[in-house]
Amino acid sequence: MEVFYTSFGLVTAGVSLAMGSIYLFLAVRKSERTYLYFGLMGFALVFFFLTPPIGFILHDVPPYPANILLKRVFIFSYYALTPWFILGYSGYPKKWLAYAIGIIVVVCYAAMYFTADPATKPAWAIVSLLGFGCTLLLGILAVRWQFVNDQKKRAYPLAMVMAIYGVLCLLAILNQLTPGDRTVISNLKLFFPMHFHALLFMLIMGQRLASGLLEKYALEQSLQLSEGKWDSFMQHATFMIVEHDRDGRITFVNDYCIRLLGYSSASDLLKLNWFDKFLSPADRNYMRNLVREARHPKTALPVVKTPIQANDGQELVIAWSNFPINDAQGVVQTVMSIGRDVTEEEKASALVEKLKNELLKEQIMLSRQPPVENHGIVGESKGLGYAIQKAEQVATTLAPVLLEGETGVGKELFANLIHDNSLRSDKPFVKVNCSALPKELMEDELFGHEKGAFTSAAQSRKGRFELADGGTIFLDEIGELPLDMQPKLLRVLQNGEFERIGGQKTIRVDVRILAATNRNLSAEVQQGNFRSDLYYRLNVFPITIPPLRNRKEDLPLLIHHFMDQNCKTYHRNLEQISRANLEHLLNYDWPGNIRELRNVIERSVIVSQGKTLQLDWWVEETVSKIPAGDHTLGHIERDHIISVMERCHWKINGENGAAEILAMHPNTLRSKMKKLDIKRPGLPEDLETSPDDLPHHSSL
């Protein structure tokens, strides 16, 4: 049997050397603790079986010589590493058994080291059975934990190993507890049953390694197949696919892109910078900033549409979807851009827009049906119709209404519509333009004063709120209301009460409030220019009136409406508009909206001769290019104010004045003109009079 044990030990040493070497190599490459534990276990067995006497310890009688003590250092190390391997392999979180086994191993080795009595069954060997039992218990708990956590594939090999371990552990217990020199199985000496387990342990767990290698090979094959499919898609897809680094240097381009750009091979493009070669300066800067700011792995770059120039000079319009590719730290390394050629679609869209404009021209030229009005509001667009519908819905209630929209869109007409359709249509309707009232007179105008309240208060005077009692008050340009006046207005909104200037009596009124503004009140609240509580009280039912540039389909109706209106006023007989002027009407964005259009048509009716309306147009001057060197914001602002003042014949206050067109308070405009050194031509240098104060002489 000694020859068998020696041969068995050498076979186990060979298997352990192979397995230990492989797992230590993998541990270094992958920094995996489980592989490290198993590799050390393998080498511990190698040193155990190859340390003299080679193979198992067949003559085990204390006191032990130095070579036996050294030999058992390795086998005890093997048993101490086993629980840590089980923990690493299974992921079982509780480590107290592993620590207990380590302590038992140290105690057993120390007891063995000092054993001198040549007893048949040394005490330390009996104690070591406790360590085997703890290892078996840990293995059972780890296997159970793997099954509970749905790790069955990894649990089966460990379960098989622990089952064999349990059988051999039982034999070792019986062998050690048998009295005298007798053993349960013939010729089995101390530890032999547990030493048999080492070979099986290495073989079974080695099989797990082989399975892992096969799985890795299968994954590599699958990856190669996927890469082949992806490469085939990249090369044959009818999309432009371009990959470039953060600086724009092209790193990949597919065949379709090469053909579309008019190049012969990918090598002609790989040396180019995509931003510099194919994008316009504006698009180039935009894309550089876009890529530079895309630092997070989940950053989604927007879809962009850019014109590019092919090698033959042809301009293409491409819609790009951009995907950043990040490294392990999440930093963008390259950008994959997938583009679709939309050149023909853009041409078709331009053609549709052109035909639409032509249709609008024909409508203006041929349609002479009188437009349908709704309290002076003319138009059939969806946006305008929705605003009218909301106004009619809220008209019959007493809710405050906030009319929002740019200057000149017709907010006052909507206020008229709401009042005329309300239950108070036969009651007073008082209108107040907050921007036209000086700050010092605002409170007196709204709330009135008592006799003697100030020097010129010779008698009591009712304010606008008292005059509107029982009816409706319309507060236009509510955003111009001073901050110190807003609490008093809020009190009227909430409680319907106030006091006159200089009065002590609380006056109660029943007034419905309609407000209008061309400002963004929510932004004003954020900036501290408007009280949030007042804003929320006014914003019960907001109505946004669309600007004219967003409803150009209403232009034919509006032009005919203003033409007919002004032809009656100025006794003209106009029937059509020249095509050149139609181009101006349709292409202009109308920053002054309906008011600006009305003024243009009125002025044109006055100057037109014959039956064709000739527009008195000024757009070419206002949109002329700014001279080089005059690109500062102050200079642009100065030129714009001068342009508006000339259009308004240097009129600041009142309807159609420059302050109204620029959406500024007249006093603010005067201060701005003084700051920018804007003066009416012909005004003496030492004259401090406002342009509005100059005498106006009619021409003879």
Side-chain angles (χ1 to χ4, degrees):
M1 291 299 292
E2 291 187 11
V3 176
F4 168 76
Y5 290 144
T6 302
S7 302
F8 187 86
L10 292 176
V11 170
T12 304
V15 173
S16 299
L17 178 62
M19 295 298 176
S21 301
I22 294 173
Y23 272 98
L24 282 179
F25 174 77
L26 292 176
V28 173
R29 292 291 300 272
K30 296 188 176 183
S31 300
E32 175 61 48
R33 286 189 178 183
T34 305
Y35 292 164
L36 177 63
Y37 293 145
F38 195 73
L40 292 175
M41 289 169 63
F43 275 94
L45 289 176
V46 171
F47 288 122
F48 170 73
F49 285 113
L50 296 183
T51 299
I54 295 176
F56 293 99
I57 300 174
L58 302 180
H59 303 285
D60 189 16
V61 180
Y64 303 109
N67 63 327
I68 297 297
L69 292 175
L70 176 62
K71 191 178 181 74
R72 281 203 168 126
V73 167
F74 300 116
I75 194 63
F76 275 62
S77 299
Y78 169 82
Y79 286 123
L81 288 168
T82 301
W84 294 103
F85 169 77
I86 293 173
L87 291 176
Y89 177 82
S90 65
Y92 184 63
K94 298 181 179 180
K95 301 179 180 179
W96 62 272
L97 274 174
Y99 288 117
I101 294 168
I103 294 172
I104 293 172
V105 168
V106 172
V107 170
C108 285
Y109 184 84
M112 179 202 68
Y113 185 87
F114 292 106
T115 299
D117 184 13
T120 305
K121 303 294 183 183
W124 66 267
I126 304 299
V127 176
S128 68
L129 298 178
L130 179 60
F132 297 146
C134 289
T135 303
L136 178 61
L137 176 60
L138 177 62
I140 294 172
L141 293 175
V143 170
R144 179 178 177 276
W145 187 87
Q146 285 186 298
F147 276 106
V148 170
N149 289 275
D150 199 23
Q151 298 181 15
K152 297 180 179 179
K153 191 172 183 180
R154 290 176 61 85
Y156 286 127
L158 183 59
M160 185 183 301
V161 167
M162 297 318 299
I164 299 172
Y165 190 93
V167 173
L168 295 177
C169 184
L170 178 61
L171 292 176
I173 292 172
L174 294 175
N175 187 44
Q176 294 301 319
L177 297 180
T178 302
D181 294 331
R182 292 174 296 173
T183 58
V184 176
I185 302 177
S186 178
N187 293 317
L188 284 184
K189 302 295 182 181
L190 189 65
F191 285 125
F192 283 176
M194 297 312 300
H195 295 348
F196 287 148
H197 177 263
L199 177 60
L200 298 174
F201 192 89
M202 286 292 171
L203 288 174
I204 293 174
M205 298 313 297
Q207 179 271 337
R208 214 11 234 157
L209 172 63
S211 299
L213 293 174
L214 291 175
E215 290 174 2
K216 181 180 178 182
Y217 177 75
L219 287 175
E220 289 177 349
Q221 292 294 104
S222 177
L223 181 61
Q224 289 179 0
L225 180 61
S226 298
E227 288 179 347
K229 292 179 180 179
W230 174 249
D231 185 65
S232 177
F233 167 77
M234 296 273 279
Q235 295 298 340
H236 299 95
T238 55
F239 295 99
M240 297 180 68
I241 302 177
V242 180
E243 184 181 17
H244 56 80
D245 61 17
R246 292 171 58 88
D247 297 323
R249 291 184 292 269
I250 299 174
T251 57
F252 173 82
V253 61
N254 70 334
D255 292 342
Y256 179 80
C257 181
I258 296 170
R259 294 194 303 270
L260 196 63
L261 293 177
Y263 288 85
S264 57
S265 65
S267 59
D268 297 333
L269 287 166
L270 294 179
K271 59 186 178 182
L272 301 177
N273 186 292
W274 178 258
F275 297 150
D276 297 335
K277 177 66 177 177
F278 296 102
L279 299 183
S280 66
D283 292 331
R284 184 185 309 151
N285 294 333
Y286 173 75
M287 286 302 299
R288 286 188 191 277
N289 292 332
L290 201 65
V291 174
R292 190 178 298 115
E293 294 171 2
R295 295 184 179 276
H296 195 274
K298 296 183 180 179
T299 301
L301 301 182
V303 177
V304 294
K305 189 181 294 183
T306 60
I308 62 174
Q309 192 170 29
N311 197 31
D312 58 2
Q314 179 186 2
E315 186 175 273
L316 306 172
V317 181
I318 310 297
W320 296 101
S321 296
N322 302 289
F323 307 95
I325 300 175
N326 310 278
D327 60 13
Q329 287 72 39
V331 179
V332 176
Q333 295 299 312
T334 61
V335 175
M336 183 71 72
S337 300
I338 301 178
R340 184 169 62 90
D341 184 8
V342 294
T343 306
E344 296 302 321
E345 296 178 19
E346 289 295 305
K347 291 180 180 178
S349 177
L351 179 60
V352 169
E353 189 66 24
K354 181 179 179 181
L355 294 175
K356 181 180 177 181
N357 290 337
E358 292 295 332
L359 180 60
L360 283 176
K361 296 175 190 177
E362 295 301 324
Q363 288 177 331
I364 297 173
M365 296 284 292
L366 303 177
S367 175
R368 294 300 299 170
Q369 296 180 357
V372 179
E373 293 186 43
N374 189 347
H375 292 78
I377 303 172
V378 177
E380 297 177 350
S381 63
K382 291 182 178 179
L384 184 68
Y386 178 68
I388 293 174
Q389 179 187 1
K390 292 187 68 177
E392 291 174 342
Q393 287 175 342
V394 77
T396 56
T397 71
L398 298 180
V401 179
L402 180 61
L403 300 169
E404 299 175 306
E406 299 176 6
T407 181
V409 294
K411 295 185 286 293
E412 186 174 343
L413 294 179
F414 273 82
N416 293 336
L417 183 152
I418 293 172
H419 175 70
D420 292 343
N421 285 277
S422 71
L423 301 177
R424 303 186 175 201
S425 57
D426 57 339
K427 301 294 174 61
F429 183 36
V430 179
K431 301 178 181 179
V432 182
N433 190 326
C434 298
S435 64
L437 295 175
K439 179 180 179 181
E440 298 77 10
L441 301 179
M442 182 78 71
E443 185 176 4
D444 184 25
E445 190 70 25
L446 293 177
F447 305 110
H449 63 262
E450 295 290 353
K451 180 179 179 180
F454 43 86
T455 304
S456 59
Q459 60 182 8
S460 299
R461 177 179 177 273
K462 291 183 178 181
R464 298 296 182 94
F465 274 97
E466 283 187 78
L467 295 175
D469 189 20
T472 305
I473 189 170
F474 173 52
L475 301 177
D476 198 6
E477 303 301 342
I478 190 70
E480 303 291 339
L481 193 68
L483 270 173
D484 55 358
M485 282 293 300
Q486 294 177 19
K488 201 162 185 176
L489 177 59
L490 178 63
R491 184 184 174 198
V492 178
L493 270 170
Q494 291 178 333
N495 305 321
E497 59 184 32
F498 62 91
E499 289 85 27
R500 294 177 183 172
I501 297 176
Q504 297 180 351
K505 180 183 177 182
T506 299
I507 299 173
R508 299 191 62 84
V509 292
D510 177 18
V511 179
R512 182 188 188 179
I513 295 181
L514 307 179
T517 182
N518 59 8
R519 294 190 178 187
N520 185 344
L521 288 188
S522 61
E524 294 291 315
V525 170
Q526 295 294 327
Q527 296 171 9
N529 298 327
F530 202 85
R531 290 178 62 101
S532 59
D533 47 6
L534 178 58
Y535 170 67
Y536 294 130
R537 289 292 298 177
L538 291 172
N539 200 40
V540 174
F541 197 91
I543 298 176
T544 301
I545 305 169
L548 183 56
R549 63 179 174 274
N550 292 345
R551 56 184 189 100
K552 287 192 175 182
E553 59 267 36
D554 289 337
L555 271 174
L557 297 175
L558 290 166
I559 292 172
H560 287 315
H561 172 71
F562 292 133
M563 279 182 61
D564 293 343
Q565 194 178 71
N566 289 288
C567 282
K568 292 177 182 178
T569 302
Y570 298 107
H571 307 289
R572 295 286 193 271
N573 185 21
L574 301 173
E575 298 179 355
Q576 60 184 3
I577 308 174
S578 69
R579 289 190 175 273
N581 287 327
L582 275 178
E583 293 288 343
H584 286 301
L585 290 172
L586 296 175
N587 296 332
Y588 189 48
D589 281 338
W590 301 104
N593 293 292
I594 306 298
R595 183 182 294 120
E596 185 179 9
L597 175 64
R598 182 188 63 196
N599 294 344
V600 169
I601 299 299
E602 181 178 4
R603 187 162 53 251
S604 301
V605 168
I606 293 173
V607 301
S608 295
Q609 302 293 329
K611 295 185 178 297
T612 301
L613 182 71
Q614 300 293 332
L615 297 184
D616 183 23
W617 201 258
W618 65 87
V619 176
E620 293 87 353
E621 300 175 5
T622 60
V623 299
S624 60
K625 293 184 178 179
I626 300 172
D630 292 336
H631 292 179
T632 63
L633 182 60
H635 198 99
I636 295 172
E637 187 177 28
R638 185 178 190 277
D639 288 348
H640 182 59
I641 292 176
I642 292 175
S643 173
V644 174
M645 292 295 293
E646 289 175 347
R647 285 162 49 189
C648 300
H649 307 291
W650 294 87
K651 177 183 178 183
I652 294 179
N653 290 336
E655 187 176 0
N656 300 328
E660 183 180 78
I661 294 176
L662 293 170
M664 299 172 67
H665 192 279
N667 291 338
T668 304
L669 178 57
R670 290 188 180 95
S671 300
K672 182 72 70 174
M673 291 172 63
K674 186 175 182 180
K675 179 180 178 181
L676 297 174
D677 194 27
I678 299 175
K679 295 182 179 180
R680 181 174 180 175
L683 186 67
E685 293 292 333
D686 58 347
L687 189 60
E688 296 295 336
T689 309
S690 166
D692 282 352
D693 298 329
L694 294 176
H696 299 280
H697 302 284
S698 59
S699 57
L700 300 177

